[in-house]
């Protein structure tokens, strides 16, 4: 299992959790972004810089993804592609996207997009809470433990 991070929008606190987990269990963590960023020096952590542009980082992740890999993303269309390719997708709030819930998430995303494009003001997601960070860390640990046992 490799872990791929849609790193442009991934909160710093989530990246820190991922850096520690990658070193703790020895799994390869690759951050993909269209802007340069600092990463710890570690044989388990890589960074791929992609060209600027809409969905360029997402497309790079999908291209390199193997079945069973884990992708960290809040991007629902990317999560759907990951699931379709046999990967796992976990958002920064700790929610695991699955074949059972991804269609509903895509429908809600499209509905909200339609509202916004018609002029309705919608609020963005709330700030990442301590509870969200804990949920993310717990679910990441569950996935890594399951991977290590297999």
């Amino acid at each position: 299992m490799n872990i791929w991070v849609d790193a442009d929008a991934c909160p710093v606190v989530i990246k820190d959790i991922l850096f520690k987990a990658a070193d703790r269990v020895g799994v390869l963590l690759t951050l993909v972004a269209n802007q340069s960023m600092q990463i710890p020096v570690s044989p388990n952590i890589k960074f791929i810089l992609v060209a600027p542009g809409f969905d360029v980082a997402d497309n790079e992740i999908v291209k390199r993804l193997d079945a069973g890999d884990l992708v960290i993303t809040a991007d629902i269309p990317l999560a759907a592609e990951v699931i379709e390719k046999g990967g796992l997708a976990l958002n920064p709030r700790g929610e695991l996207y699955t074949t059972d819930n991804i269609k509903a998430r895509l429908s809600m995303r499209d509905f909200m997009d339609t509202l916004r494009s018609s002029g309705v003001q919608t609020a963005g997601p709330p700030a990442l809470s301590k509870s969200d960070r804990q949920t993310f860390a717990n679910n990441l640990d569950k996935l890594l433990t399951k991977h290590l046992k297999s």
Side-chain angles (χ1 to χ4, degrees):
M1 167 195 276
N2 292 322
I3 301 174
W4 299 90
V5 182
D6 184 8
D8 286 316
C10 187
V12 172
V13 67
I14 298 302
K15 289 177 198 166
D16 290 340
I17 292 168
L18 289 164
F19 295 150
K20 291 174 187 166
D23 280 336
R24 185 179 73 244
V25 300
V27 67
L28 180 61
L29 173 70
T30 305
L31 292 89
V32 182
N34 61 22
Q35 60 187 358
S36 198
M37 59 183 58
Q38 293 284 331
I39 61 168
V41 176
S42 167
N44 301 316
I45 302 170
K46 289 185 359 180
F47 175 73
I48 297 173
L49 180 64
V50 297
F54 187 70
D55 286 343
V56 176
D58 298 358
N59 294 338
E60 188 68 22
I61 290 170
V62 171
K63 181 175 91 176
R64 294 173 180 249
L65 177 75
D66 289 324
D69 284 355
L70 173 62
V71 176
I72 309 303
T73 186
D75 185 312
I76 297 169
L78 172 58
E81 287 187 77
V82 167
I83 291 167
E84 187 176 307
K85 200 167 173 185
L88 303 167
L90 182 66
N91 78 20
R93 294 180 188 278
E95 179 186 9
L96 184 65
Y97 297 111
T98 67
T99 54
D100 294 333
N101 69 20
I102 195 65
K103 285 187 172 91
R105 299 298 184 278
L106 281 168
S107 293
M108 182 55 77
R109 176 196 171 272
D110 292 345
F111 173 71
M112 295 302 286
D113 194 41
T114 301
L115 284 177
R116 285 188 292 275
S117 66
S118 67
V120 175
Q121 296 288 328
T122 61
L128 200 65
S129 70
K130 185 176 182 179
S131 172
D132 293 330
R133 294 189 301 266
Q134 189 63 51
T135 300
F136 176 82
N138 289 342
N139 287 337
L140 176 65
D141 280 344
K142 285 178 192 172
L143 291 169
L144 292 174
T145 299
K146 184 177 179 180
H147 165 70
L148 292 173
K149 288 182 179 180
S150 63

